[in-house]
């Protein structure tokens, strides 16, 4: 029995383990070293756990007044920074935001927004009253937002807060921010009296789900399905591999389908939890993959015998859908990597895996044609290589 070409399973498992490790956020604790041009000093300061941001504040519980200075660096010079309170939830949706940015005339502005979704923002009143606000920039590009707000609920001293940075302002309106892990994790709980801010665990949980979703789909649609096709296409040429190639092919594809369905399910779950964020192309390709792969599994039950008059049509269908799944799977893996944006080395690792599989395919294609042509000359083979692909001149499992 001939052994199958290396399916790079060790590489796939390594990718599985490493992608599950969330990216670390490196940040130095510098809020105690910060100073402001107005020489204002605050009772509390915290280095926030994401986006290299810092929050200083004073809280007057008798008057329910919060004075704050929020510092962050937008990704581009003409970007914006935002700090918000969310009285009803832990995320951005529903937050009552202060956003600082540079206006066309070069002056800094601080405006209020009620964030109900990721739709274009409209300036509006917010949950708290703003007594005064201002903003300043530093030589390093950081923006500091100053504000004094009056909280409407006296006695409420632990609040959900959210902070964010964006790269551009269009027509005086802050544009969407990025959806990278650092942006999605920019939220937490703020204890106004105790003077500390704790990070929200929702972001880490969602990031882990995104990583699991990515790993399952890379291993199934991106590696195992193409490997199963290579097994079926090239092992059948060797008589000693018949019918072993068939069972290897079926085992690989059924396993890939099971893992892929699990990855597809986690994608649906992530989509239901993030209604305001939609990756339409990635989602639609994923749905198409699920439908095509399901058809392939059920087609196995309807496979005609090799001498049946409809067998040639079944072969065309089976091969066409199978190659479509392989191509769409690889495309969607790259779409997913662009969304998840792990460390670039993981994208390079997947490219290397696909390159190795492609190289093996080319070598086996050339070798197979050599074998077929030699057998044809010796009068011991079918009329063409396509006969092998159509399932003739071999034992039916």
């Amino acid at each position: 029995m001939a052994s199958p070409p290396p399916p790079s399973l060790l590489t796939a498992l390594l990718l599985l383990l490493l992608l599950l490790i969330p990216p670390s956020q490196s940040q130095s604790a510098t809020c105690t070293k910060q100073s402001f041009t107005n020489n204002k000093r605050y009772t509390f300061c915290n280095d926030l756990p994401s986006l290299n941001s810092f929050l200083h504040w004073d809280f007057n519980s008798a008057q329910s007044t919060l004075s704050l200075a929020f510092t962050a660096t937008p990704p581009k010079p003409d970007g914006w920074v935002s700090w918000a309170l969310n009285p009803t939830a832990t995320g951005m949706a529903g937050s009552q935001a202060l956003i600082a940015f540079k206006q066309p005339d070069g002056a800094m502005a601080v405006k209020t927004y009620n964030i109900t979704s990721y739709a274009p923002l409209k300036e509006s009143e917010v949950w708290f009253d703003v007594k005064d606000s201002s903003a300043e920039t530093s030589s390093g590009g950081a923006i500091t937002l100053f504000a004094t707000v009056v909280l409407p609920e006296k006695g409420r001293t632990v609040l959900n807060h959210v902070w964010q940075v964006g790269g551009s302002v269009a027509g005086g309106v802050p544009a969407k921010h990025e959806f990278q892990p650092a942006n999605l994790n920019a939220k937490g709980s703020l204890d106004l009296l105790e003077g500390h801010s704790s990070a929200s665990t929702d972001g880490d949980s969602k990031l882990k789900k995104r990583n699991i979703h990515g790993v399952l789909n890379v291993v199934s649609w991106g590696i195992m399905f193409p490997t199963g096709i290579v097994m079926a296409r090239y092992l059948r040429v060797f008589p000693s591999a018949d019918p072993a190639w068939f069972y290897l092919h079926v085992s690989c594809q059924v396993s890939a389908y099971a893992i892929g369905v699990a990855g597809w399910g986690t994608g649906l779950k992530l989509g239901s939890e993030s209604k305001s964020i939609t990756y339409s192309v990635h989602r639609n390709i994923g749905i198409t993959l699920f439908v095509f792969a399901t058809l392939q599994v059920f087609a196995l039950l309807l496979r005609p015998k090799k001498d049946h008059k409809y067998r040639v049509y079944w072969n065309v269908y089976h091969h066409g859908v199978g190659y479509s799944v392989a191509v769409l799977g690889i495309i969607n893996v790259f779409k997913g990597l662009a969304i998840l944006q792990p460390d670039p080395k993981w994208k390079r690792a997947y490219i290397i895996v696909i390159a190795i599989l492609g190289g093996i395919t080319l070598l086996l294609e050339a070798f197979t044609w050599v074998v077929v042509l030699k057998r044809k000359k010796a009068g011991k083979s079918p009329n063409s290589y396509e006969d092998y692909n159509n399932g003739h001149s071999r034992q039916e499992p």
Side-chain angles (χ1 to χ4, degrees):
M1 181 187 298
S3 59
S8 302
L9 289 180
L10 290 178
T11 307
L13 291 175
L14 179 61
L15 184 66
L16 170 64
L17 292 174
L18 292 175
L19 278 180
L20 282 173
I21 302 174
S24 60
Q25 301 290 333
S26 60
Q27 174 173 300
S28 58
T30 59
C31 81
T32 56
K33 301 178 183 179
Q34 289 180 319
S35 60
F36 308 110
T37 56
N38 59 9
N39 294 320
K40 171 70 174 176
R41 293 185 177 274
Y42 296 86
T43 305
F44 304 110
C45 82
N46 276 186
D47 292 9
L48 300 178
S50 187
L51 296 175
N52 197 30
S53 306
F54 313 95
L55 181 66
H56 302 248
W57 77 93
D58 286 324
F59 181 61
N60 186 324
S61 58
Q63 298 180 5
S64 195
T65 301
L66 174 66
S67 297
L68 65 99
F70 170 73
T71 301
T73 303
K76 296 180 180 179
D78 295 327
W80 52 267
V81 304
S82 172
W83 181 84
L85 291 174
N86 193 328
T88 59
T90 59
M92 180 64 75
S95 62
Q96 311 297 293
L98 295 163
I99 302 183
F101 56 90
K102 186 179 293 185
Q103 300 184 101
D105 60 4
M108 295 299 297
V110 177
K111 297 185 178 182
T112 57
Y113 298 88
N114 179 4
I115 312 295
T116 57
S117 69
Y118 286 97
L121 299 178
K122 292 183 179 180
E123 187 177 3
S124 61
E125 294 184 352
V126 290
W127 174 66
F128 45 78
D129 292 328
V130 182
K131 293 181 65 176
D132 61 72
S133 62
S134 62
E136 66 181 28
T137 59
S138 68
S139 58
I143 297 177
T144 299
L145 184 160
F146 300 97
T148 300
V149 303
V150 180
L151 304 180
E153 298 180 13
K154 285 190 175 182
R156 185 174 179 180
T157 60
V158 179
L159 300 167
N160 297 317
H161 72 136
V162 185
W163 58 98
Q164 198 55 257
V165 297
S168 63
V169 178
V173 178
K176 281 185 181 180
H177 60 77
E178 296 180 351
F179 294 97
Q180 303 311 312
N183 300 88
L184 299 176
N185 291 336
K187 55 187 176 180
S189 176
L190 182 66
D191 192 319
L192 300 177
L193 293 180
E194 294 295 328
H196 60 79
S197 172
S198 58
S200 171
T201 58
D202 292 346
D204 291 338
S205 175
K206 184 170 291 186
L207 178 60
K208 185 175 181 179
K209 290 179 183 178
R210 283 158 58 98
N211 285 339
I212 291 173
H213 167 71
V215 167
L216 292 174
N217 288 306
V218 167
V219 171
S220 59
W221 310 110
I223 296 177
M224 293 184 68
F225 263 110
T227 299
I229 291 175
V230 170
M231 289 179 180
R233 182 171 176 82
Y234 300 111
L235 290 185
R236 65 187 356 163
V237 173
F238 304 98
S240 60
D242 193 3
W245 71 263
F246 176 79
Y247 297 113
L248 285 172
H249 171 66
V250 171
S251 299
C252 186
Q253 302 305 70
V254 170
S255 299
Y257 177 73
I259 298 171
V261 169
W264 183 71
T266 59
L268 293 180
K269 178 64 174 174
L270 286 168
S272 67
E273 294 175 351
S274 305
K275 297 184 183 299
S276 55
I277 307 174
T278 303
Y279 301 102
S280 299
V281 176
H282 183 64
R283 179 194 62 190
N284 293 339
I285 294 178
I287 293 173
T288 303
L289 281 171
F290 172 75
V291 172
F292 279 10
T294 301
L295 288 174
Q296 285 288 73
V297 170
F298 282 104
L300 184 65
L301 305 176
L302 303 175
R303 186 169 65 110
K305 293 186 177 298
K306 66 177 182 178
D307 55 352
H308 196 281
K309 63 179 180 179
Y310 292 128
R311 179 59 178 260
V312 64
Y313 302 110
W314 184 91
N315 285 333
V316 171
Y317 153 80
H318 185 65
H319 296 163
V321 174
Y323 290 132
S324 298
V325 168
V327 172
L328 288 175
I330 292 172
I331 291 173
N332 219 27
V333 166
F334 283 106
K335 291 286 185 183
L337 289 171
I339 294 169
L340 187 59
Q341 290 207 348
D343 190 288
K345 61 186 177 183
W346 306 130
K347 182 177 180 179
R348 291 195 294 268
Y350 179 66
I351 292 174
I352 291 172
V353 171
I354 291 301
I356 292 173
L357 189 59
I360 292 172
T361 301
L362 290 175
L363 290 175
L364 289 175
E365 183 75 19
F367 177 75
T368 300
W369 274 105
V370 170
V371 171
V372 170
L373 291 175
K374 284 184 176 180
R375 289 177 181 173
K376 184 178 179 180
K377 284 183 178 180
K380 298 179 180 180
S381 71
N383 293 330
S384 72
Y385 174 61
E386 288 302 314
D387 287 338
Y388 280 95
N389 269 346
N390 288 333
H392 300 299
S393 242
R394 64 173 178 82
Q395 177 183 340
E396 185 74 14

